């Protein structure tokens, strides 16, 4: 088994910024030259998450609205009372989705569905530089 590790920094705007990083992940799979195995992606930062979805404006807007209903910005959060940074909602949102995902790789291609893309979601209330860690492993 071989393992290749990549780090990529991305700039986000915050406020539920949703970025399609499928091409980035696929590029790292190709650079690894691993034919069959898996790609693991992890986002650093406790107010950001990774998931898969159809990356088109309607779904992206629906996802933002659903997340707003699940963890609204305008309610009280203990985190805000303690730290005063106003991003308690962002920590809760990121925790619900999670910081990582695994996608199988076959013939140097990510095995995603036809309308499935890998997205980074930054929930923080200000722009950030987010580090995406990508590990490709297999043969």
């Amino acid at each position: 088994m071989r393992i290749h590790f990549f780090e990529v920094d991305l700039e986000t705007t915050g406020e539920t910024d949703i970025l399609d990083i499928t091409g980035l992940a696929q590029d790292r799979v190709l650079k690894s030259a691993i034919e069959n195995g898996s790609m693991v992606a992890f986002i650093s930062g406790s107010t950001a998450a990774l998931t898969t979805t159809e990356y088109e404006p309607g779904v992206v807007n629906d996802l933002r609205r659903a997340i707003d209903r699940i963890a609204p910005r305008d309610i009280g959060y203990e985190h805000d009372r303690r730290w005063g940074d106003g991003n308690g909602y962002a920590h809760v949102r990121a925790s619900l989705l999670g910081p990582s995902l695994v996608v199988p790789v076959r013939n140097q291609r990510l095995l995603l569905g036809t309308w499935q893309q890998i997205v980074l979601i930054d929930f923080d209330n200000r722009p950030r530089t987010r580090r995406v860690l990508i590990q490709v492993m297999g043969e």
Side-chain angles (χ1 to χ4, degrees):
M1 176 178 290
R2 295 175 314 172
I3 299 173
H4 293 268
F5 190 80
F6 305 93
E7 296 183 27
V8 180
D9 289 336
L10 298 172
E11 301 299 320
T12 66
T13 62
E15 304 298 342
T16 311
D17 193 8
I18 302 175
L19 306 175
D20 179 358
I21 63 167
T22 310
L24 169 76
Q26 179 60 55
D27 177 67
R28 295 322 184 267
V29 169
L30 292 172
K31 285 183 179 176
S32 76
I34 287 179
E35 289 289 325
N36 300 298
S38 59
M39 185 277 313
V40 178
F42 176 84
I43 182 75
S44 64
S46 61
T47 58
L50 292 175
T51 192
T52 60
T53 192
E54 180 178 355
Y55 190 79
E56 65 86 20
V59 172
V60 169
N61 289 331
D62 292 341
L63 180 58
R64 277 192 186 102
R65 282 194 302 274
I67 290 166
D68 285 342
R69 287 189 302 272
I70 292 167
R73 183 178 182 155
D74 59 353
I75 64 172
Y77 289 92
E78 294 291 324
H79 174 81
D80 295 341
R81 283 191 276 284
R82 178 170 183 173
W83 297 102
D85 54 5
N87 69 352
Y89 71 98
H91 290 279
V92 171
R93 292 174 179 188
S95 295
L96 292 172
L97 288 178
S100 64
L101 57 86
V102 178
V103 178
V105 172
R106 184 171 58 206
N107 299 323
Q108 285 198 294
R109 303 300 304 168
L110 292 167
L111 294 181
L112 295 166
T114 302
W115 305 111
Q116 188 175 31
Q117 286 82 45
I118 300 169
V119 296
L120 177 162
I121 307 176
D122 187 351
F123 297 110
D124 212 343
N125 56 1
R126 65 185 178 98
R128 296 278 190 169
T129 299
R130 297 296 183 186
R131 178 158 290 164
V132 179
L133 310 173
I134 298 174
Q135 181 175 289
V136 186
M137 52 196 156
E139 298 300 327

